[in-house]
Amino acid sequence: MSGGAVSSRAAQPVLTEGTADGQGIGSRLDGTVSTHLVRLLVQAARQAGAAEDQLTRIPGTDEVVLRGELNRIPMSSLLRLWELIAHARPAGAGAAVAAAAPLGTLNTWDYLVTGGATLTDSLRAAQPYHRLVTAATEGFDLSGEGDLTIGYRTSAGDPAVASVVNEYVMAYYLRRAREATGRPVVPTRVSFGHSAPPDRADLVAVFGTDNIEFDAASDSITFHADDANAPLPRADPMLADLMRSHAGLVLSSSRTIADPLDTFRIALADAIDAADPTLARVAKTLAMSQRTLQRHLAEHGTTWRDELDLLRYERARTLLDQGLTKSVIAQRLAFTDDRALRKAFHRWTGATPAV
């Protein structure tokens, strides 16, 4: 790449049509989950005793990736985190994750499911945006005319992992119901597809009822009509509309972090923003040695110089189109001066920047 014109990296697909329910986004997001949920599980896995080396081997768990709301992590990474949690703490693990997730932990999704006129209205309005937090393969169902039943179907194949996931989901929606209504809501019924644990006391304490069915046909939680349809004290129709609009924008703008090279490019972009695009800084961000980073880049058919050149070139074109001066662009891209930018641009394109 160096020594000749820079060819643009294949563009990430972007939603250009479709509705707010995610139609048109297609398979780009179907197998991915939000950074907010992954961050929650990384913290839960640590608290459950998972080793750091186990966590660092899971794609998409780097801090530089988890900082971005628009980054989407493969569902396989989320399931691996659930496996670590389930194996480290098999009893009560799912409920413990929900207990560590106050309102706002899952960002926009949390406010979608609690900001409507009633709990039922909130959940029905939020349902089309379910991919905002998790993969399309994770089923989220609502049913009932008076009473409200929330059903969930995880794609986890390991029964031990699935039981932890479903316990978390039911405990999560109970917590959000209590936060939305401002009172200690108790479900009329909770059902799980997995068998009963040796001691049910912890789950009875979490859900506030002993009407918990195991070996059921589905995993679900049911709220009485009085709770499901009670006016919510914090209802704000205008804010609810804004949150749905934001959810649609997040879905349409999200990018999938499919492999370590994507993570590297995020770290490199952050380094440029910090005016320190050095191999040492990026390697430290990714918790690896400079030599290891260079080896990984070579394994993906690229080099440090090529990647830095390409990102600077792409950004330079954008900034030029915005009418910024060469001096400002050179500063934004961490060049030493205007002359260094002109030399780089000539190397990339065979011409000098027009501004």
Side-chain angles (χ1 to χ4, degrees), residues 46-230:
R46 286 197 178 105
Q47 292 169 356
E52 284 299 319
D53 65 326
Q54 292 177 304
L55 294 173
T56 56
R57 288 198 296 268
I58 300 175
T61 57
D62 310 77
E63 181 59 30
V64 68
V65 172
L66 296 181
R67 284 200 300 264
E69 182 182 17
L70 300 182
N71 297 332
R72 298 287 297 191
I73 314 303
M75 181 66 187
S76 57
S77 293
L78 188 77
L79 291 177
R80 178 58 183 144
L81 287 168
W82 276 122
E83 288 172 5
L84 292 178
I85 294 168
H87 295 156
R89 181 182 176 178
V97 175
L103 185 66
T105 300
L106 298 187
N107 203 270
T108 307
W109 177 253
D110 278 354
Y111 298 107
L112 284 176
V113 301
T114 59
T118 67
L119 185 60
T120 296
D121 289 343
S122 298
L123 287 164
R124 292 198 185 284
Q127 188 178 24
Y129 301 91
H130 190 231
R131 278 186 288 182
L132 188 69
V133 68
T134 193
T137 52
E138 304 293 283
F140 174 60
D141 304 313
L142 299 172
S143 60
E145 295 299 324
D147 291 356
L148 174 66
T149 296
I150 304 171
Y152 195 79
R153 303 179 309 282
T154 180
S155 60
D158 184 338
V161 175
S163 66
V164 172
V165 173
N166 289 324
E167 286 180 7
Y168 155 74
V169 171
M170 300 312 147
Y172 166 86
Y173 283 110
L174 175 59
R175 177 167 190 170
R176 292 297 177 263
R178 290 170 173 172
E179 290 165 333
T181 61
R183 59 178 189 267
V185 172
V186 175
T188 60
R189 179 175 176 269
V190 181
S191 68
F192 293 113
H194 59 270
S195 299
D199 185 356
R200 301 175 15 150
D202 287 345
L203 287 178
V204 170
V206 168
F207 291 100
T209 178
D210 60 2
N211 189 14
I212 303 177
E213 180 185 359
F214 295 92
D215 295 314
S218 63
D219 294 84
S220 66
I221 184 169
T222 300
F223 297 105
H224 192 277
D226 290 346
D227 294 319
N229 300 312

Side-chain angles (χ1 to χ4, degrees), residues 59 72-74 255-263:
R72 298 287 297 191
I73 314 303
R255 55 184 177 183
T256 301
I257 309 303
D259 58 43
L261 189 56
D262 293 325
T263 301

Side-chain angles (χ1 to χ4, degrees), residues 70 129 132 242-254:
L70 300 182
Y129 301 91
L132 188 69
L242 287 173
M243 295 306 292
R244 286 191 292 272
S245 295
H246 178 68
L249 288 173
V250 169
L251 285 172
S252 66
S253 305
S254 293

